[in-house]
Amino acid sequence: MMIRQGFKFRLDVTPDQDARLRVLVGHARFVWNQALARCNDAYRAEDQRVPRYETMAKWITAWKQEPQTQWLTEAYTDNLQQKLKDLDAAWQRFFDPKLAAKRPRFKKKGRDRDSIRFVNFTKYCQLDGRRVKLPSKLGWIKFRQSRPIVGTIKNCTIGRDAGHWHISFQTEREVSAPVHPAPERWIGIDVGIARFATLSDGTFTAPLSSFKRHQQALAKAQRQLSRKVKFSSNWRKAKARVQRLQRRIANVRQDFLHKTSTRISQNHAMIVIEDLQVSNMSASAKGTIEVPGRKVRQKTGLNRSILDQGWFMFRRQLEYKADWAGGEVLAVPAHHTSQTCPACGHVSRDNRLTQAQFACTDCGYANNADVVGALNILARGIKTCAKGGTSPGSPVSA
Ligand SMILES: [Zn+2]
């Protein structure tokens, strides 16, 4: 079966490339907005129908000939056509009663994410190590390759988020389906606060907060530093101590994450994890999901960004180490994994006696709550693969 997967990296652009990209996304935004305006007119006038892509594509040619939009000849036509295909698809989603998507809206500079897509990658683009060659006067652009690109690149999208340009390569690869590893080589992982990672086989690793001792030493060193006269020799000594402790903490944490991810990826061929949005995870400390507010105290004891970073790094490590070992990482939706009974499937908030204990109110099954989470994640992974069609790894839509 064919697997499609996206690989997203940050671009390191030169000032010239930055300027050119801004122009190109500007052209694409302009075409989207112009076409949308015409579609809106048609929608009102013609019995709620809008032109399809084939019609819209002809508008580009016309605009290039009109004096006031002649500057569009500077644009990269493929980018513009892709924008119109996106617009066409957006309208179709809007018309589909099952999807009931929102009506396409105008793109506003600064508010909406600007992006352009380059299709026919093998024909018009080129990849060479950590640089990619793009058409339309962009030339070679370096990117920060954080993991290997697997499969044949079909197209790439460049977009701007958080003040930086990113590239997402959309790849395809044929995988002999369905050769899933033997059941005993599957594992589900539940990440949490009380235990960093709990596996579906019942084993677990210590929490990241076990480095609290170092954190306390750091806090003390920072207090001492603040009392010194700035730039005095004692201040320099105290500052060096703070930096030394910060480095040590980072090293210990890195080491812990690497050991954990190596052990898991070497012993299991299919690793199923929760597709957690890190920001949601932090929000749960405030008590917004599942068990309200229970984690607040545990959580405030440890710098939140360190926790988030830890989970994020852990997932990345698992992904590339699984790749090296010929295994795979599968991310599954996270809802209700802590409230579902792995024995009978009964879902209830009451199944959670405490933060740590799970006992099914229906069938009486009892286990540690984190192990239950890991078992449910594993079951979800198996179900996903049995259905087929969902690509293992972390698909990123272009
Ligand atoms: Zn049950």
Side-chain angles (χ1 to χ4, degrees):
M1 66 179 181
M2 192 65 89
I3 286 185
R4 303 186 67 207
Q5 192 177 356
F7 296 86
K8 189 176 171 183
F9 307 105
R10 183 164 148 190
L11 288 172
D12 284 321
V13 295
T14 65
D16 283 349
Q17 288 167 336
D18 178 59
R20 181 66 187 149
L21 283 172
R22 282 171 196 270
V23 169
L24 290 176
V25 296
H27 290 151
R29 192 192 321 119
F30 175 82
V31 162
W32 169 286
N33 286 339
Q34 290 294 305
L36 177 57
R38 283 201 183 187
C39 287
N40 284 341
D41 289 345
Y43 183 74
R44 279 188 289 267
E46 287 171 40
D47 198 19
Q48 305 206 330
R49 284 172 57 180
V50 297
R52 296 300 307 264
Y53 168 73
E54 291 71 25
T55 310
M56 291 197 266
K58 291 184 193 124
W59 298 346
I60 298 177
T61 323
W63 285 330
K64 282 181 182 173
Q65 283 156 3
E66 284 167 25
Q68 66 270 39
T69 45
Q70 214 175 17
W71 48 268
L72 269 180
T73 46
E74 281 285 299
Y76 187 59
T77 308
D78 273 6
N79 290 163
L80 308 182
Q81 288 171 344
Q82 291 299 311
K83 260 304 160 229
L84 294 182
K85 282 190 177 167
D86 291 347
L87 178 58
D88 184 40
W91 276 111
Q92 296 316 307
R93 282 196 300 274
F94 169 67
F95 290 129
D96 187 338
K98 284 198 295 286
L99 295 174
K102 283 207 178 108
R103 190 166 150 173
R105 64 173 192 173
F106 291 104
K107 289 188 187 293
K108 207 172 148 193
K109 191 179 176 181
R111 181 193 66 188
D112 298 295
R113 184 178 186 269
D114 273 329
S115 72
I116 38 172
R117 189 180 311 121
F118 293 89
V119 287
N120 274 324
F121 191 89
T122 38
K123 192 168 169 197
Y124 299 116
C125 311
Q126 208 181 322
L127 194 68
D128 172 38
R130 290 167 175 236
R131 21 175 238 161
V132 57
K133 192 182 183 188
L134 295 169
S136 196
K137 298 180 204 159
L138 284 166
W140 289 100
I141 307 183
K142 283 189 219 150
F143 62 95
R144 304 185 182 181
Q145 188 171 10
S146 46
R147 57 181 176 145
I149 302 167
V150 192
T152 312
I153 302 173
K154 305 305 281 187
N155 62 61
C156 66
T157 301
I158 294 185
R160 205 173 158 77
D161 6 54
H164 298 287
W165 293 105
H166 291 85
I167 189 162
S168 177
F169 297 103
Q170 191 69 36
T171 71
E172 273 183 13
R173 64 181 189 274
E174 189 61 47
V175 203
S176 43
V179 190
H180 295 309
E184 65 273 14
R185 303 212 60 209
W186 285 64
I187 198 82
I189 308 177
D190 183 73
V191 291
I193 290 126
R195 297 163 161 195
F196 177 72
T198 304
L199 308 192
S200 51
D201 62 9
T203 60
F204 62 92
T205 56
L208 269 185
S209 58
S210 57
F211 310 123
K212 219 172 174 170
R213 195 165 51 85
H214 299 276
Q215 295 284 2
Q216 283 164 347
L218 176 64
K220 195 177 157 200
Q222 277 166 333
R223 275 196 305 276
Q224 282 168 345
L225 175 67
S226 68
R227 286 193 215 106
K228 305 283 187 253
V229 180
K230 251 191 179 175
F231 308 115
S232 66
S233 72
N234 279 335
W235 179 83
R236 275 179 229 281
K237 270 184 228 160
K239 193 166 173 61
R241 182 168 160 72
V242 166
Q243 286 169 338
R244 213 162 44 237
L245 279 166
Q246 281 169 336
R247 262 200 310 276
R248 190 183 303 158
I249 290 170
N251 288 344
V252 168
R253 186 169 296 122
Q254 274 282 1
D255 191 51
F256 168 81
L257 291 175
H258 272 298
K259 275 182 183 147
T260 309
S261 58
T262 300
R263 188 166 46 79
I264 293 172
S265 55
Q266 282 177 349
N267 292 315
H268 304 284
M270 185 62 100
I271 302 160
V272 191
I273 55 171
E274 276 178 294
D275 199 0
L276 287 176
Q277 295 296 317
V278 164
S279 51
N280 289 353
M281 193 90 181
S282 289
S284 74
K286 294 187 215 109
T288 48
I289 53 166
E290 307 217 337
V291 186
R294 290 275 178 80
K295 291 177 178 176
V296 175
R297 196 176 301 152
Q298 287 166 308
K299 197 125 194 194
T300 44
L302 187 62
N303 185 318
R304 185 163 300 165
S305 69
I306 289 169
L307 267 180
D308 287 352
Q309 239 179 40
W311 283 316
F312 177 70
M313 286 199 302
F314 182 62
R315 176 171 175 173
R316 275 233 328 249
Q317 290 175 3
L318 277 178
E319 280 170 346
Y320 69 71
K321 287 178 187 179
D323 253 358
W324 293 343
E328 281 189 286
V329 174
L330 177 67
V332 297
H335 54 93
H336 295 315
T337 45
S338 66
Q339 299 174 9
T340 308
C341 173
C344 72
H346 177 62
V347 183
S348 168
R349 184 169 290 215
D350 300 333
N351 287 345
R352 288 291 285 278
L353 290 177
T354 63
Q355 180 63 25
Q357 269 304 312
F358 179 98
C360 179
T361 53
D362 212 30
C363 76
Y365 173 90
N367 205 334
N368 172 282
D370 293 326
V371 177
V372 165
L375 282 168
N376 284 326
I377 289 162
L378 175 64
R380 235 165 249 191
I382 292 170
K383 211 167 130 190
T384 305
C385 278
K387 267 189 277 175
T390 306
S391 72
S394 54
V396 179
S397 61

